[in-house]
Amino acid sequence: MKFLYQAKTVDETGKSKILEGVIESKNREEALLTLKNKNFEIIALTEKKDFLQTFDLNNIGAFFQKASLKDVVNISKQMSALLEAGVSVIKGLQLVADDMEKPILKTSFAEIIQDIKNGKSISQAFAKHPKIFDDFYVNLIKSGEESGKMSQAFTYLADYMDRNYSLVTKVKNAMIYPAFVVSVFFIVMILIFTLVIPKLSVILLESNVALPILTQIVLGISNFLVKYGLYLLLAIITFGGYSIYTFSGSNEWKELFDSFKIKIPIIRNVYKMLYVTRIADNIQTLLSSGVSLTKAIQITADVVDNIHYKKILLESLVDVRAGISFSASFAKQKELIPNILTQMLRVGEETGEISKLMGNIAKFYQRELSNTIDSLIGLIEPIMIVSLGLGVGLLLVSVLMPIYNLAGSF
């Protein structure tokens, strides 16, 4: 069996660092023992499944029924309203469950309600369903339990989840438009290459006229797609499907995809602002609900959803536990952490108002992100229209010009 591990160790200079890798062992216990013998402090250890283990027809239905971020937002809002109205937690959960349509949510809430009735804490009951409620959600509920302010905890969750949903939706919508236009362009080009150009090529080849190099290239591509296009499509689908099922759960695949999001021109600024906003908003919400700074950093690292920012937060966690200030740790990450966040964090540490200043940073970057996305869409639209027009125009000219010259020779 292969296991993906994340562990903390100390290098030769005495500095703590986070390691990630794959270890092969007979079982989980043996893997843990091997890592501990290397003086690793285990942070996470999960089984790495191969293609046949991952591909399970029985799980396909569950995939399409999984809870969305919008579902969690609605649950949080409903629970917040019910608890503020004085309804008990169990009664509130039951009322929310009665309005649910997705089987996976109904089943999960039935188990949560039963676990609470059996004596488990609310946070423990929610923690048994990590695919719906992440560490951030569970720890905020736990904070509400410890402080006796469950209503306030769900209010924090409702506000935070609503902000997060709006932010993620805006980023996704911004990416959908160019992806749609590019997809349509490729479909149109393929149709032209496979349906239109083959008919025109018959006229050109029968005329026995000298063809420009551009026309020859276009005819060659068209001929290849007509003969081997279907095989090429099947090969792409097969390779793509196999790659997704084989590597989608690996750290290497995730690191590659996460690097793509923060390094590709145009979209990198959008994603960097998204992650910075998420970090600031998470920490502000957690600190406001009574969670300690070190715990807030740990939870934020688990839910930030980018392996590079996760590493930064975990390294900062090690530094903070070693007595180094949070802002000083962030100051070492100038490429991904903006200076304004580091400066505001330093001010928050000096004044004892980290939560308040993190909230200000989150609001600032939410506005910046919204403005950037609007500007990006306004810029991309004319560029793509012009680029696509030139591409189609060049393709048609390469075929129509020889035909025009042929007609003019008569």
Side-chain angles (χ1 to χ4, degrees):
M1 298 174 67
K2 292 183 178 180
F3 296 89
L4 300 171
Y5 71 85
Q6 185 178 79
K8 184 173 70 174
T9 187
V10 179
D11 60 19
E12 296 177 353
T13 63
K15 183 179 179 182
S16 297
K17 62 179 181 179
I18 304 298
L19 296 178
E20 293 181 344
V22 179
I23 184 172
E24 189 167 354
S25 299
K26 292 181 180 179
N27 51 50
R28 181 182 178 85
E29 289 70 23
E30 185 178 304
L32 284 169
L33 183 60
T34 302
L35 293 171
K36 287 180 179 179
N37 289 337
K38 294 181 180 180
N39 295 321
F40 287 177
E41 182 180 334
I42 310 302
I43 298 173
L45 183 68
T46 56
E47 183 182 353
K48 181 180 181 181
K49 296 183 178 180
D50 59 23
F51 174 74
L52 293 177
Q53 289 175 308
T54 305
F55 186 74
D56 186 356
L57 291 174
N58 294 325
N59 292 331
I60 293 179
F63 175 80
F64 290 104
Q65 293 178 355
K66 66 180 182 179
S68 65
L69 180 58
K70 187 176 181 180
D71 292 325
V72 181
V73 171
N74 291 334
I75 290 169
S76 304
K77 287 182 176 180
Q78 290 173 340
M79 284 300 299
S80 173
L82 289 168
L83 292 179
E84 285 184 355
V87 177
S88 67
V89 173
I90 292 181
K91 183 62 176 177
L93 291 171
Q94 186 62 63
L95 290 172
V96 172
D98 290 341
D99 290 335
M100 291 178 177
E101 296 180 358
K102 291 186 178 180
I104 188 172
L105 288 175
K106 280 187 172 293
T107 302
S108 297
F109 262 70
E111 293 176 3
I112 289 171
I113 293 169
Q114 189 59 48
D115 284 339
I116 295 173
K117 289 180 178 179
N118 290 340
K120 287 186 180 294
S121 68
I122 303 170
S123 58
Q124 288 174 334
F126 273 83
K128 290 178 64 176
H129 305 274
K131 292 184 178 180
I132 303 175
F133 306 105
D134 57 23
D135 287 343
F136 176 88
Y137 205 98
V138 172
N139 277 276
L140 213 55
I141 292 176
K142 185 176 181 180
S143 173
E145 285 179 315
E146 294 172 351
S147 63
K149 299 178 180 178
M150 283 303 302
S151 173
Q152 189 179 67
F154 274 102
T155 300
Y156 279 131
L157 282 169
D159 292 341
Y160 168 79
M161 298 301 295
D162 195 30
R163 292 194 301 271
N164 190 40
Y165 175 72
S166 299
L167 204 60
V168 171
T169 301
K170 191 173 185 65
V171 173
K172 285 183 177 179
N173 290 341
M175 300 303 157
I176 286 174
Y177 175 75
F180 173 76
V181 174
V182 171
S183 300
V184 170
F185 171 72
F186 274 107
I187 291 173
V188 170
M189 294 292 282
I190 289 172
L191 290 175
I192 292 175
F193 271 114
T194 56
L195 299 178
V196 178
I197 291 180
K199 295 179 179 179
L200 296 176
S201 65
V202 174
I203 301 174
L204 295 176
L205 295 175
E206 289 180 351
S207 65
N208 293 322
V209 297
L211 300 176
I213 185 65
L214 180 60
T215 304
Q216 294 179 36
I217 292 173
V218 169
L219 294 182
I221 294 173
S222 174
N223 186 51
F224 175 82
L225 289 177
V226 169
K227 288 184 177 180
Y228 307 107
L230 183 59
Y231 300 107
L232 179 63
L233 179 62
L234 290 174
I236 292 173
I237 293 174
T238 302
F239 177 76
Y242 178 80
S243 298
I244 290 173
Y245 278 113
T246 305
F247 304 113
S248 60
S250 68
N251 286 341
E252 293 83 0
W253 179 273
K254 180 167 176 55
E255 186 167 0
L256 179 64
F257 186 62
D258 287 345
S259 297
F260 172 83
K261 289 191 286 190
I262 60 176
K263 290 183 179 180
I264 298 299
I266 300 177
I267 69 169
R268 63 185 175 193
N269 289 335
V270 172
Y271 276 105
K272 283 182 178 180
M273 280 190 282
L274 173 64
Y275 295 128
V276 170
T277 303
R278 184 172 290 168
I279 289 171
D281 203 4
N282 281 11
I283 291 176
Q284 183 271 328
T285 303
L286 289 164
L287 292 179
S288 297
S289 64
V291 177
S292 66
L293 178 59
T294 53
K295 187 65 175 177
I297 297 172
Q298 176 68 64
I299 296 169
T300 302
D302 292 335
V303 301
V304 71
D305 198 31
N306 185 284
I307 198 167
H308 299 288
Y309 280 94
K310 181 178 182 177
K311 287 180 179 179
I312 289 174
L313 287 165
L314 291 176
E315 289 173 5
S316 297
L317 179 60
V318 173
D319 288 343
V320 170
R321 286 174 174 169
I324 301 173
S325 68
F326 194 12
S327 58
S329 181
F330 263 13
K332 297 184 293 185
Q333 309 290 344
K334 295 182 179 180
E335 183 179 354
L336 296 179
I337 302 296
N339 186 55
I340 186 174
L341 176 58
T342 303
Q343 295 299 327
M344 292 290 280
L345 186 56
R346 181 177 291 115
V347 173
E349 290 172 331
E350 293 173 353
T351 60
E353 295 185 342
I354 296 179
S355 174
K356 180 180 178 181
L357 290 172
M358 284 296 97
N360 292 339
I361 282 289
K363 291 177 182 176
F364 170 77
Y365 273 104
Q366 283 169 0
R367 291 193 298 269
E368 285 294 302
L369 181 59
S370 180
N371 293 335
T372 300
I373 289 174
D374 292 339
S375 301
L376 189 62
I377 292 175
L379 180 64
I380 287 177
E381 186 171 352
I383 291 176
M384 294 191 73
I385 291 174
V386 172
S387 300
L388 300 183
L390 288 174
V392 174
L394 187 63
L395 179 63
L396 293 177
V397 166
S398 67
V399 177
L400 295 179
M401 281 300 293
I403 294 177
Y404 177 79
N405 293 334
L406 179 63
S409 63
F410 289 100

